Amino acid sequence: MSSILKIKDVNKNFGKISVLNDININIDKGDFLVLVGPSGCGKSTLLNCIAGLEKINGGEISINNKDMSEVAPKDRDIAMVFQSYALYPTMTVEKNITFGMKVRGISEEIQKKKLNEVAKQLQIENLLKRKPSQLSGGQRQRVAMGRALVRNPKLFLFDEPLSNLDAKLRVEMRTEIKRLHYDLGASMVYVTHDQIEAMTLATKIVVMKDGFIQQIGTPFEIYNYPENIFVADFMGSPAMNLIGATTKKEKDHIKIEIKLEDGSTATLIEKSKLKLPKDIIIGVRPENITENGSKKDSNFQYISSKVDIIEPAGSDTFVVTKLGNKEVTARFHSETDVKIGSKVKFSFNLQKVTYFDPKTGQRIK
Protein backbone atom coordinates (compact mmCIF):
# COMPACT_ATOMS: atom_id res chain seq x y z
CA MET A 1 0.00 0.00 0.00
CA SER A 2 1.37 3.46 -0.87
CA SER A 3 1.92 6.10 1.80
CA ILE A 4 -0.42 9.07 1.67
CA LEU A 5 1.55 10.99 4.32
CA LYS A 6 5.26 10.75 5.18
CA ILE A 7 6.76 12.75 8.02
CA LYS A 8 10.54 12.35 8.11
CA ASP A 9 12.88 13.71 10.83
CA VAL A 10 10.63 16.74 11.40
CA ASN A 11 11.70 19.37 13.94
CA LYS A 12 9.88 22.55 14.91
CA ASN A 13 11.04 25.34 17.22
CA PHE A 14 9.35 28.47 18.48
CA GLY A 15 12.40 30.62 19.16
CA LYS A 16 14.58 28.65 21.56
CA ILE A 17 11.75 26.32 22.55
CA SER A 18 11.81 22.96 20.77
CA VAL A 19 8.22 21.82 20.16
CA LEU A 20 8.71 18.82 17.82
CA ASN A 21 11.79 16.56 17.93
CA ASP A 22 12.74 14.08 15.17
CA ILE A 23 9.17 13.12 14.27
CA ASN A 24 8.88 10.12 11.93
CA ILE A 25 5.41 8.89 10.89
CA ASN A 26 4.07 7.05 7.82
CA ILE A 27 0.41 6.60 7.07
CA ASP A 28 -1.10 4.56 4.25
CA LYS A 29 -4.14 5.44 2.16
CA GLY A 30 -7.30 4.81 4.17
CA ASP A 31 -5.53 4.99 7.56
CA PHE A 32 -7.11 6.81 10.49
CA LEU A 33 -4.11 8.19 12.38
CA VAL A 34 -4.77 9.71 15.81
CA LEU A 35 -2.21 11.99 17.49
CA VAL A 36 -2.81 11.78 21.23
CA GLY A 37 -1.09 13.20 24.28
CA PRO A 38 -1.49 15.73 27.10
CA SER A 39 -1.85 19.47 26.46
CA GLY A 40 1.38 21.01 25.19
CA CYS A 41 2.84 17.77 23.79
CA GLY A 42 3.04 19.16 20.22
CA LYS A 43 0.18 17.30 18.55
CA SER A 44 -1.71 20.39 17.26
CA THR A 45 1.58 21.97 16.13
CA LEU A 46 2.33 18.79 14.14
CA LEU A 47 -1.13 18.95 12.54
CA ASN A 48 -0.54 22.61 11.61
CA CYS A 49 2.81 21.64 10.06
CA ILE A 50 1.07 18.98 7.93
CA ALA A 51 -1.50 21.60 6.87
CA GLY A 52 1.24 24.13 6.06
CA LEU A 53 -0.03 26.60 8.66
CA GLU A 54 3.33 26.32 10.48
CA LYS A 55 6.73 26.08 8.77
CA ILE A 56 8.99 23.26 9.93
CA ASN A 57 12.62 23.94 10.96
CA GLY A 58 13.97 20.64 9.69
CA GLY A 59 12.95 17.38 8.03
CA GLU A 60 10.37 16.71 5.35
CA ILE A 61 6.60 16.32 5.03
CA SER A 62 5.25 14.74 1.85
CA ILE A 63 1.62 14.12 0.86
CA ASN A 64 0.96 11.57 -1.87
CA ASN A 65 4.75 11.33 -2.47
CA LYS A 66 5.06 15.08 -3.11
CA ASP A 67 7.35 17.19 -0.89
CA MET A 68 5.26 19.93 0.73
CA SER A 69 8.16 22.24 1.71
CA GLU A 70 7.24 24.99 -0.75
CA VAL A 71 3.53 24.16 -1.21
CA ALA A 72 0.95 26.62 0.17
CA PRO A 73 -1.80 25.25 2.47
CA LYS A 74 -4.51 25.80 -0.18
CA ASP A 75 -2.57 23.67 -2.70
CA ARG A 76 -1.92 20.67 -0.43
CA ASP A 77 -5.20 18.90 -1.27
CA ILE A 78 -6.21 18.68 2.38
CA ALA A 79 -9.37 19.63 4.30
CA MET A 80 -9.23 20.71 7.93
CA VAL A 81 -11.95 20.53 10.59
CA PHE A 82 -11.25 22.79 13.58
CA GLN A 83 -12.31 22.65 17.22
CA SER A 84 -14.01 26.04 16.80
CA TYR A 85 -15.93 24.95 13.63
CA ALA A 86 -14.75 28.20 11.87
CA LEU A 87 -18.07 28.77 10.08
CA TYR A 88 -19.01 32.06 8.42
CA PRO A 89 -21.70 33.50 10.74
CA THR A 90 -23.49 35.56 8.05
CA MET A 91 -23.82 32.67 5.59
CA THR A 92 -26.42 29.90 5.59
CA VAL A 93 -25.35 26.27 6.08
CA GLU A 94 -25.72 25.73 2.33
CA LYS A 95 -23.40 28.66 1.52
CA ASN A 96 -20.87 27.65 4.21
CA ILE A 97 -20.57 24.23 2.61
CA THR A 98 -20.41 25.41 -1.03
CA PHE A 99 -18.31 28.57 -0.52
CA GLY A 100 -14.94 26.85 -1.04
CA MET A 101 -16.17 25.21 -4.25
CA LYS A 102 -17.51 28.55 -5.51
CA VAL A 103 -14.13 30.24 -4.87
CA ARG A 104 -12.39 27.46 -6.83
CA GLY A 105 -14.71 28.08 -9.80
CA ILE A 106 -16.60 24.77 -9.62
CA SER A 107 -19.86 24.82 -11.60
CA GLU A 108 -23.14 25.37 -9.75
CA GLU A 109 -24.41 22.01 -10.94
CA ILE A 110 -21.50 20.13 -9.30
CA GLN A 111 -21.78 22.33 -6.18
CA LYS A 112 -25.46 21.37 -5.81
CA LYS A 113 -24.75 17.67 -6.41
CA LYS A 114 -21.95 17.59 -3.79
CA LEU A 115 -24.02 19.61 -1.32
CA ASN A 116 -26.93 17.17 -1.58
CA GLU A 117 -24.59 14.17 -1.18
CA VAL A 118 -22.94 15.40 2.03
CA ALA A 119 -26.18 16.83 3.48
CA LYS A 120 -27.74 13.39 3.13
CA GLN A 121 -24.65 11.65 4.48
CA LEU A 122 -24.54 13.91 7.56
CA GLN A 123 -28.34 14.14 7.94
CA ILE A 124 -28.42 17.96 7.75
CA GLU A 125 -30.80 18.39 4.77
CA ASN A 126 -33.28 20.26 6.97
CA LEU A 127 -30.62 22.73 8.18
CA LEU A 128 -29.40 24.10 4.83
CA LYS A 129 -31.26 27.42 5.06
CA ARG A 130 -30.26 28.14 8.68
CA LYS A 131 -27.33 30.25 9.87
CA PRO A 132 -24.70 28.94 12.33
CA SER A 133 -26.23 30.92 15.24
CA GLN A 134 -29.42 28.85 14.84
CA LEU A 135 -27.58 25.53 15.19
CA SER A 136 -26.54 23.41 18.18
CA GLY A 137 -22.86 22.51 18.73
CA GLY A 138 -23.34 19.07 17.17
CA GLN A 139 -25.09 20.54 14.11
CA ARG A 140 -22.30 23.10 13.64
CA GLN A 141 -19.74 20.32 13.80
CA ARG A 142 -21.65 18.40 11.12
CA VAL A 143 -21.63 21.50 8.89
CA ALA A 144 -17.86 21.93 9.41
CA MET A 145 -17.42 18.27 8.43
CA GLY A 146 -19.70 18.78 5.41
CA ARG A 147 -17.54 21.65 4.22
CA ALA A 148 -14.48 19.39 4.43
CA LEU A 149 -16.22 16.45 2.74
CA VAL A 150 -17.25 18.34 -0.43
CA ARG A 151 -13.55 19.01 -1.07
CA ASN A 152 -12.93 15.26 -1.53
CA PRO A 153 -9.29 15.85 -0.45
CA LYS A 154 -6.33 13.47 -0.31
CA LEU A 155 -6.17 13.97 3.46
CA PHE A 156 -8.59 15.05 6.19
CA LEU A 157 -7.15 16.83 9.25
CA PHE A 158 -9.19 17.07 12.46
CA ASP A 159 -8.04 19.33 15.31
CA GLU A 160 -9.88 18.26 18.51
CA PRO A 161 -13.22 18.54 16.66
CA LEU A 162 -15.37 17.17 19.50
CA SER A 163 -13.90 18.90 22.56
CA ASN A 164 -16.63 21.60 22.66
CA LEU A 165 -19.46 19.06 22.75
CA ASP A 166 -21.17 17.48 25.77
CA ALA A 167 -20.37 13.86 26.68
CA LYS A 168 -23.39 12.22 25.00
CA LEU A 169 -22.97 14.21 21.79
CA ARG A 170 -19.26 13.41 21.69
CA VAL A 171 -20.06 9.69 21.65
CA GLU A 172 -22.62 10.20 18.85
CA MET A 173 -20.24 12.29 16.75
CA ARG A 174 -17.44 9.80 17.33
CA THR A 175 -19.66 7.11 15.81
CA GLU A 176 -20.46 9.50 12.94
CA ILE A 177 -16.76 10.12 12.18
CA LYS A 178 -15.99 6.39 12.42
CA ARG A 179 -18.82 5.65 9.95
CA LEU A 180 -17.61 8.40 7.60
CA HIS A 181 -14.11 6.95 7.62
CA TYR A 182 -15.47 3.49 6.83
CA ASP A 183 -17.84 4.71 4.09
CA LEU A 184 -15.33 7.01 2.37
CA GLY A 185 -12.20 4.93 2.86
CA ALA A 186 -10.62 8.34 3.46
CA SER A 187 -7.20 9.07 4.97
CA MET A 188 -7.51 11.00 8.22
CA VAL A 189 -5.22 12.58 10.82
CA TYR A 190 -7.01 13.40 14.04
CA VAL A 191 -5.73 15.28 17.11
CA THR A 192 -7.18 14.65 20.58
CA HIS A 193 -6.10 14.59 24.23
CA ASP A 194 -8.92 12.10 24.93
CA GLN A 195 -7.44 8.60 24.91
CA ILE A 196 -10.91 6.93 24.69
CA GLU A 197 -11.47 8.88 21.45
CA ALA A 198 -8.06 7.73 20.22
CA MET A 199 -8.72 4.07 21.05
CA THR A 200 -12.19 3.98 19.43
CA LEU A 201 -11.40 5.89 16.22
CA ALA A 202 -7.85 5.03 15.20
CA THR A 203 -6.37 2.39 12.95
CA LYS A 204 -3.00 3.75 14.13
CA ILE A 205 -2.17 5.82 17.24
CA VAL A 206 0.82 8.10 17.85
CA VAL A 207 1.32 8.84 21.56
CA MET A 208 3.25 12.08 22.15
CA LYS A 209 4.86 13.74 25.16
CA ASP A 210 6.95 16.93 25.29
CA GLY A 211 7.42 17.01 21.51
CA PHE A 212 8.68 13.40 21.28
CA ILE A 213 6.88 10.31 19.97
CA GLN A 214 6.55 7.76 22.77
CA GLN A 215 4.96 4.96 20.73
CA ILE A 216 3.26 4.29 17.39
CA GLY A 217 0.94 1.31 17.06
CA THR A 218 -2.58 -0.03 16.63
CA PRO A 219 -5.03 0.57 19.51
CA PHE A 220 -4.49 -3.09 20.50
CA GLU A 221 -0.68 -2.72 20.61
CA ILE A 222 -0.76 0.58 22.50
CA TYR A 223 -3.21 -0.77 25.09
CA ASN A 224 -1.72 -4.22 25.61
CA TYR A 225 1.99 -3.60 24.97
CA PRO A 226 2.81 -0.03 26.10
CA GLU A 227 6.45 0.83 25.36
CA ASN A 228 6.97 2.77 28.57
CA ILE A 229 5.38 3.88 31.84
CA PHE A 230 4.05 7.12 30.31
CA VAL A 231 2.05 5.28 27.61
CA ALA A 232 0.84 2.68 30.14
CA ASP A 233 -0.42 5.40 32.46
CA PHE A 234 -1.86 7.70 29.77
CA MET A 235 -3.78 5.16 27.67
CA GLY A 236 -6.74 3.42 29.29
CA SER A 237 -9.54 4.47 31.62
CA PRO A 238 -9.06 3.65 34.44
CA ALA A 239 -5.30 3.77 33.80
CA MET A 240 -3.00 0.75 34.01
CA ASN A 241 -2.00 -0.06 37.61
CA LEU A 242 1.75 0.46 38.15
CA ILE A 243 2.94 -1.45 41.22
CA GLY A 244 6.46 -1.33 42.67
CA ALA A 245 7.92 -4.76 43.49
CA THR A 246 11.18 -6.68 43.98
CA THR A 247 12.26 -9.96 42.40
CA LYS A 248 14.12 -13.06 43.59
CA LYS A 249 15.49 -15.60 41.11
CA GLU A 250 14.63 -19.21 42.02
CA LYS A 251 15.56 -22.38 40.08
CA ASP A 252 12.76 -22.42 37.47
CA HIS A 253 10.87 -19.23 38.25
CA ILE A 254 11.08 -15.68 39.59
CA LYS A 255 9.45 -14.69 42.88
CA ILE A 256 7.87 -11.23 42.72
CA GLU A 257 7.37 -9.66 46.13
CA ILE A 258 4.90 -6.82 46.71
CA LYS A 259 4.55 -4.92 49.99
CA LEU A 260 1.05 -4.82 51.48
CA GLU A 261 -0.44 -1.97 53.52
CA ASP A 262 -0.03 -3.85 56.81
CA GLY A 263 3.74 -4.23 56.19
CA SER A 264 3.58 -7.89 55.17
CA THR A 265 4.60 -9.17 51.70
CA ALA A 266 2.57 -10.86 48.94
CA THR A 267 4.26 -13.12 46.38
CA LEU A 268 3.52 -13.77 42.70
CA ILE A 269 5.39 -16.42 40.69
CA GLU A 270 6.62 -15.53 37.19
CA LYS A 271 7.49 -18.64 35.14
CA SER A 272 8.49 -16.98 31.83
CA LYS A 273 12.10 -16.66 30.65
CA LEU A 274 12.09 -12.86 31.05
CA LYS A 275 15.23 -11.33 32.59
CA LEU A 276 13.88 -9.09 35.35
CA PRO A 277 16.01 -6.65 37.39
CA LYS A 278 15.87 -6.68 41.19
CA ASP A 279 13.50 -3.70 41.32
CA ILE A 280 10.61 -3.67 38.87
CA ILE A 281 7.28 -2.01 38.21
CA ILE A 282 4.39 -4.33 37.42
CA GLY A 283 1.85 -2.93 34.95
CA VAL A 284 -1.58 -4.58 35.05
CA ARG A 285 -4.91 -3.33 33.68
CA PRO A 286 -7.91 -3.22 36.08
CA GLU A 287 -9.75 -5.88 34.04
CA ASN A 288 -6.87 -8.28 34.68
CA ILE A 289 -7.35 -8.04 38.44
CA THR A 290 -10.66 -9.70 39.22
CA GLU A 291 -12.37 -11.22 42.22
CA ASN A 292 -11.28 -14.60 43.51
CA GLY A 293 -13.37 -17.42 42.06
CA SER A 294 -14.25 -15.57 38.86
CA LYS A 295 -11.43 -17.35 36.99
CA LYS A 296 -10.07 -20.87 37.33
CA ASP A 297 -6.79 -20.98 35.42
CA SER A 298 -3.10 -21.56 36.16
CA ASN A 299 -2.34 -18.03 34.87
CA PHE A 300 -4.29 -16.58 37.79
CA GLN A 301 -2.58 -15.95 41.12
CA TYR A 302 -3.99 -14.36 44.25
CA ILE A 303 -3.18 -11.56 46.66
CA SER A 304 -5.28 -10.92 49.76
CA SER A 305 -5.60 -7.23 50.52
CA LYS A 306 -7.92 -4.76 52.28
CA VAL A 307 -10.61 -2.94 50.26
CA ASP A 308 -10.20 0.87 50.50
CA ILE A 309 -12.79 2.20 48.03
CA ILE A 310 -15.71 0.75 46.04
CA GLU A 311 -16.85 2.56 42.88
CA PRO A 312 -20.00 1.17 41.21
CA ALA A 313 -19.87 1.85 37.44
CA GLY A 314 -22.98 0.18 36.04
CA SER A 315 -21.79 -2.99 34.32
CA ASP A 316 -18.71 -3.21 36.58
CA THR A 317 -17.64 -2.28 40.09
CA PHE A 318 -14.15 -0.85 40.54
CA VAL A 319 -12.53 -1.93 43.80
CA VAL A 320 -9.48 -0.02 45.05
CA THR A 321 -6.82 -1.46 47.36
CA LYS A 322 -3.19 -0.57 48.21
CA LEU A 323 -0.29 -2.63 46.90
CA GLY A 324 3.37 -1.58 46.81
CA ASN A 325 2.39 1.76 48.41
CA LYS A 326 0.18 2.53 45.39
CA GLU A 327 -3.59 2.63 44.92
CA VAL A 328 -4.55 -0.29 42.71
CA THR A 329 -7.88 -0.57 40.88
CA ALA A 330 -9.49 -3.95 40.17
CA ARG A 331 -12.57 -4.58 38.02
CA PHE A 332 -15.15 -6.74 39.80
CA HIS A 333 -18.66 -7.83 38.76
CA SER A 334 -21.42 -5.26 39.17
CA GLU A 335 -23.21 -7.47 41.72
CA THR A 336 -20.13 -8.00 43.90
CA ASP A 337 -20.84 -7.93 47.65
CA VAL A 338 -17.39 -6.84 48.90
CA LYS A 339 -17.35 -4.23 51.69
CA ILE A 340 -14.94 -1.35 52.44
CA GLY A 341 -12.43 -2.46 55.09
CA SER A 342 -12.86 -6.19 54.37
CA LYS A 343 -9.94 -8.38 53.25
CA VAL A 344 -10.50 -9.76 49.74
CA LYS A 345 -8.62 -12.16 47.47
CA PHE A 346 -7.65 -10.30 44.28
CA SER A 347 -7.06 -12.57 41.29
CA PHE A 348 -4.16 -11.48 38.99
CA ASN A 349 -3.92 -12.69 35.38
CA LEU A 350 -0.14 -13.02 35.05
CA GLN A 351 -0.38 -13.61 31.29
CA LYS A 352 -1.55 -10.03 30.90
CA VAL A 353 1.09 -8.38 33.10
CA THR A 354 3.69 -5.96 31.69
CA TYR A 355 7.01 -5.33 33.47
CA PHE A 356 8.82 -2.00 33.42
CA ASP A 357 12.34 -0.99 34.45
CA PRO A 358 11.91 1.72 37.14
CA LYS A 359 15.24 3.35 36.11
CA THR A 360 14.47 3.81 32.41
CA GLY A 361 10.67 3.59 32.48
CA GLN A 362 10.85 1.23 29.47
CA ARG A 363 8.96 -2.04 29.06
CA ILE A 364 11.03 -5.17 29.72
CA LYS A 365 10.62 -7.44 26.68
Side-chain angles (χ1 to χ4, degrees), residues 135-174:
L135 304 176
S136 69
Q139 289 168 334
R140 283 182 213 176
Q141 193 51 271
R142 277 194 170 87
V143 175
M145 281 162 61
R147 191 176 51 189
L149 286 171
V150 293
R151 295 277 310 271
N152 194 22
K154 291 271 189 309
L155 194 60
F156 287 92
L157 306 179
F158 292 88
D159 190 8
E160 305 219 28
L162 308 184
S163 56
N164 289 341
L165 305 179
D166 64 53
K168 185 172 184 293
L169 199 51
R170 281 181 82 143
V171 174
E172 286 172 19
M173 290 301 291
R174 215 159 62 203

Side-chain angles (χ1 to χ4, degrees), residues 4 11 74 85 96 118 121 133 138 141 164 193 206 212 217 227 232 249 280 282 284-285 287 295 303 330 349-350 359:
I4 188 73
N11 291 285
K74 67 182 177 62
Y85 319 129
N96 262 288
V118 302
Q121 204 165 24
S133 60
Q141 193 51 271
N164 289 341
H193 60 269
V206 176
F212 289 92
E227 280 296 314
K249 184 87 177 82
I280 57 161
I282 303 169
V284 56
R285 297 274 177 204
E287 62 269 27
K295 305 278 182 192
I303 291 177
N349 183 354
L350 250 69
K359 287 182 184 148

Side-chain angles (χ1 to χ4, degrees), residues 93 97 115-128 138-139 142-143 146 149 172-173 176 179-180:
V93 166
I97 291 173
L115 172 69
N116 290 336
E117 279 173 11
V118 302
K120 192 177 175 189
Q121 204 165 24
L122 295 169
Q123 298 169 346
I124 54 172
E125 296 110 315
N126 61 329
L127 307 177
L128 296 178
Q139 289 168 334
R142 277 194 170 87
V143 175
L149 286 171
E172 286 172 19
M173 290 301 291
E176 197 76 50
R179 187 181 289 119
L180 269 176

Side-chain angles (χ1 to χ4, degrees), residues 51-62:
L53 302 173
E54 293 283 358
K55 264 204 165 328
I56 58 176
N57 296 102
E60 186 184 302
I61 294 174
S62 56

